[in-house]
Amino acid sequence: MKSTRRIVVIGAGVGGLAASVDLARSGCEVTLIEKAPYVGGKLRSLEPQGRAIDAGPTVFTMRHVFESLFADAGRRLEDELRLHPASLLARHVWGSDPAILDLHADPQRSMDAIGAFAGASEARGFGEFLDRAGALHECLREPFMMSPRPTTSGLMREIGFAGMLTMWRTPPWLTLWRALAEHFRDPRLRQLFARYATYVGSSPLQAPATLMLIAHVEQSGVWLVEGGMRRVAQALASLATHCGAHLRLGNGARRLEVRDGRIVGVHFEDGDFIPADNVIFNGDTQALADGLLGEDVRRAVTSRRRSERGLSAVTWCVDAPTRGFDLVHHNVFFGDDYPREFSDIFERRKITTQPTIYLCAQDRGEASSPLSAGDTERVLILVNAPADGDHDGITDDALAGLEQRVFSRLETSGLIVSRKPEHLVATRPQDFAQLFPATGGSLYGSANHGAFASFARPNARTPIQGLYLAGGSVHPGPGVPMATLSGRLAAACLLRDTD
Ligand SMILES: Cc1cc2nc3c(=O)[nH]c(=O)nc-3n(C[C@H](O)[C@H](O)[C@H](O)COP(=O)(O)OP(=O)(O)OC[C@H]3O[C@@H](n4cnc5c(N)ncnc54)[C@H](O)[C@@H]3O)c2cc1C
C-alpha cells in the first residue's frame, strides 16, 4: 500500500530534501520539485569571479541531525561530506583600535580569553552563562525541538522538576538582552552573546532568553564543510535520489489541487500537472496563507494574520585580495549601538547607520589550504536589514552608500578588501523576496519575538488532508539543522497518518 503512495515535495531546501530522503527510503514514490535550477534553497552560492562562494548559511552545527538522517538511509555522513571541527568559533571585533576577542571550541580557552579581555568576573559570568544555556538545552531538546507539536502545557508536563527549576530561572517572557545583563557587565560581551537572537532572525531585545541555548549548541561543535556549505545541499540531494526520489528542477508549483478537502495533485508553472496523494510544502508558509498556491490551500496555515517577519539582510559575495587584518573563518565587526541597530530595523524599518558586519572568510580555517599573501579569497559579508523587500527595496544609490559605509567600517579595524565592482555580487532584501516568495526577504520566517512565538509556528500537519509543511517557517524553526528536523518531522507525520 505504502509503496504506491505518490508524494510531491515542493521545494528543495534542506527541509524538503530531508523529507524526500525519509519518504523515499520508506518506499513512497517521491517527486521533489524546485523552481530554482539548483537544490538547497537558501544554501545557494554565487560566482562573481567564476568561483562559487557560499551566499547563504555558513555556520554548520548539530552534526548529529545529519548523521542520523544519513544513517537511517543506510549511508554514513562522513562518506559523503568532509567536516572539520572548527577549533576557533569566531573572532569578534570592536572599534578602530580594534579590541579583539576569540571564542574557541574549548570552553576553558574561551573563558581564559574572556578573562584576559574583560576581567575575571566576566570570565566567571561566561561560565555561569554556559551552564544556564546547557540546562536550557537539556530541558527543551526533547519536549520542544523533537516534538512534532509542542504546546506550553505539554512542555510543562514533560520537563519534570529539574526542568521546572530551569524554566523558573529563565521564563519565556524574559528577553535575551535582559538575561545577559545577569552574566555580563561589559557591554561588548552582552552584545556578543545577544547575537544569538539573530540566528533565528530576531532582535535580542524582544527574543526570549531561552534562545541562549544556541550558545550551548555552538559550544557542542561548529563544523567547517570542505568545499563549502553548498556541498551539504548536494549531499542531501544525492542521498534523496539514491533512496529513489525523482528531482525536477527549474519548474515551480503554481497551484495545489484540492478535491473534497483532500490534496489530489500539483499544477506546475509550465502547465504540467502531477497527481499526488500527499504534498509536503517546503516554501515559506506565508506563501500558502497569501494564496500564492491557490485559494484551495489558503486555510492550510490556520493563523492567516501576518506575523512579524524575521530579519532580512544585505549580503556581498566578494572574491578579492584582503590585507591588514588577520581574518579567521567567522568574523564579526560590531557596530556601536546594538539596541539602536534592532530598533532601526524592527521599528523604523531601516538599516542602522553603522551596522554590525558578519564576514565569513571561506578560504580560512581547518577545511581549507593556507592562503598565501596577495591571494584572492572568497568572503561573504552580511548586515541585517528589515524584511520589506516586497514593497520597499533598497535602491542602487542606497546600496552604493551602504557598501561604502560597510567597507570603510572594515577599514577602520584595519581590514582592506581590494575590490573592484566585478569582484562582488550584492543580494538585497528584494532579491531574497523574489527567491523566497511571500517572505519580503525574511531569511528565517517569522521573528521569534515574545514569550510564545516559538509555539506559534505552524507545525507539519495542516487542516487539509494530505498536505504537510516543512522548513524554516515551520516548527522547530529556522537554521539548517532545525529546518532539516522539520522535514523529518513532516515525513514522520505523513507516514504515521497513512499507515
Ligand atoms: C544569508 C543567510 C545566512 C544564513 N546563515 C545561517 C547559518 O549560518 N546557519 C544556519 O543554520 N542557518 C542559516 N541561515 C538560515 C538557513 O539557511 C535556513 O533556515 C534554511 O536553509 C531553510 O531551509 P528550508 O528547508 O526552510 O528551505 P529554503 O532554503 O527556504 O528553501 C525553500 C525552497 O523552496 C522553493 N520553493 C518555494 N516555493 C516554491 C514553489 N511554489 N515551487 C517550487 N519550489 C518552491 C524555493 O525556491 C527554495 O529553494 C541563513 C540563511 C541565509 C539566507
Side-chain angles (χ1 to χ4, degrees), residues 10-16 33-36 38 40-43 55-61 199 229 251-254 269 281-284 287 293 313 315 358 380 382 432 435-437 443-444 470-473 477-481 483-484 486:
I10 300 172
V14 288
I33 68 171
E34 167 54 58
K35 68 182 176 57
Y38 52 85
K42 295 185 177 92
L43 274 101
T58 54
V59 183
F60 187 77
T61 55
Y199 285 30
M229 286 291 284
N251 198 358
R254 185 171 53 80
E269 293 290 357
F281 184 68
N282 176 222
D284 195 285
L293 278 294
T315 63
Y358 166 71
L380 169 71
L382 179 151
F432 286 118
L435 288 166
F436 309 111
L443 307 179
Y444 315 87
S473 62
V480 175
T484 302
S486 84

Side-chain angles (χ1 to χ4, degrees), residues 311-372:
L311 292 167
S312 186
V314 177
T315 63
W316 292 266
C317 285
V318 191
D319 197 345
T322 70
R323 64 191 154 85
F325 184 91
D326 190 13
L327 289 168
V328 295
H329 195 88
H330 300 292
N331 310 266
V332 186
F333 297 81
F334 281 106
D336 289 340
D337 188 346
Y338 221 33
R340 173 89 197 187
E341 178 159 350
F342 292 99
S343 58
D344 273 346
I345 290 175
F346 284 104
E347 289 158 34
R348 289 176 281 281
R349 313 299 305 174
K350 61 173 196 169
I351 299 173
T352 204
T353 317
Q354 207 204 77
T356 295
I357 302 164
Y358 166 71
L359 188 154
C360 177
Q362 306 185 3
D363 296 314
R364 306 204 180 217
E366 284 87 344
S368 315
S369 324
L371 285 165
S372 305

Side-chain angles (χ1 to χ4, degrees), residues 54-66:
D54 280 332
T58 54
V59 183
F60 187 77
T61 55
M62 296 175 74
R63 175 193 170 124
H64 58 90
V65 168
F66 304 90

